[in-house]
Amino acid sequence: MKLAKVLMSVMIPTMLFGCATGDSPETKKAHAREETQTALQEIYSEHKGAPAAVNSAVGYVVCTGSNSYLFALSTGGGICVLNEKGKLSYYRFATGGVGAGIGFKKVAFVQAFQNQDALTRFKESGYEGQAQAEASAEYEGSGEQASANQSVDVSGVKTYQVNLMGAAAQATVQGYKYWETDFSEDFIENEK
């Protein structure tokens, strides 16, 4: 029973961040576009190579969400917008991992697909695994994050990540699952 309470205390805050809010699918799509565009600008300001990687890509996905770390477990999730030369589609993601960690953070990342094979892998499998080791903390009370913001280039995918809020120290192996949505049967509803 204690484990169930601990898991729920980790998962509920995680599900509340990175939500496409609104009372209709179109409103949720608009909010997802707005949130991911804001996140992309933050990524560009932190990673000078990100704009060139995105501009040269056959497609790119921008995601925002949150991760919670509690000892040997990590969970998270959020929303993504996939842009294929102007054609937009919407995704949710969930993440889980094992390793050592404690904390909570809101994150944003972009994955720039450098070739069609990498884009097809993302769309068809929807799975990704990666190792993460990071320590993040608030910088001298300013609200700014002192974080090991990450950039990775693996198998035709350039990934740039920033920590938007929160603090965590972790060394985890994370798995990500992405699934396309049109928000018509979305499990998260928001009242006006």
Side-chain angles (χ1 to χ4, degrees), residues 138-176:
E138 187 178 352
Y139 179 70
E140 295 179 2
S142 68
E144 297 293 318
Q145 295 298 315
S147 176
N149 292 334
Q150 302 169 13
S151 64
V152 180
D153 185 359
V154 178
S155 302
V157 182
K158 293 185 177 184
T159 302
Y160 300 90
Q161 177 181 318
V162 296
N163 185 28
L164 299 174
M165 178 186 84
Q170 91 272 358
T172 58
V173 175
Q174 296 280 124
Y176 287 79

Side-chain angles (χ1 to χ4, degrees), residues 10-91:
V10 170
M11 292 176 67
I12 288 173
T14 297
M15 293 186 317
L16 295 176
F17 283 91
C19 299
T21 59
D23 59 358
S24 72
E26 290 310 312
T27 304
K28 289 180 181 189
K29 288 177 184 178
H31 285 150
R33 288 190 304 272
E34 182 180 316
E35 187 173 319
T36 56
Q37 280 305 305
T38 300
L40 187 59
Q41 295 312 308
E42 179 69 22
I43 293 165
Y44 284 171
S45 73
E46 294 287 327
H47 296 283
K48 300 306 176 200
V54 167
N55 289 334
S56 67
V58 297
Y60 63 94
V61 65
V62 183
C63 303
T64 63
S66 60
N67 290 331
S68 294
Y69 304 91
L70 187 60
F71 307 114
L73 229 349
S74 66
T75 60
I79 56 167
C80 305
V81 177
L82 175 63
N83 187 322
E84 297 176 77
K85 303 291 185 194
K87 178 184 172 230
L88 302 180
S89 49
Y90 303 86
Y91 286 77

Side-chain angles (χ1 to χ4, degrees), residues 94-142:
T95 181
V98 294
I102 189 154
F104 171 85
K105 63 184 181 174
K106 185 171 181 187
V107 297
F109 56 93
V110 62
Q111 294 180 333
F113 304 105
Q114 301 302 297
N115 57 56
Q116 192 60 47
D117 288 344
L119 178 58
T120 301
R121 266 194 328 270
F122 171 81
K123 290 170 69 174
E124 290 181 358
S125 79
Y127 284 100
E128 176 196 358
Q130 62 187 15
Q132 295 183 354
E134 177 180 338
S136 63
E138 187 178 352
Y139 179 70
E140 295 179 2
S142 68

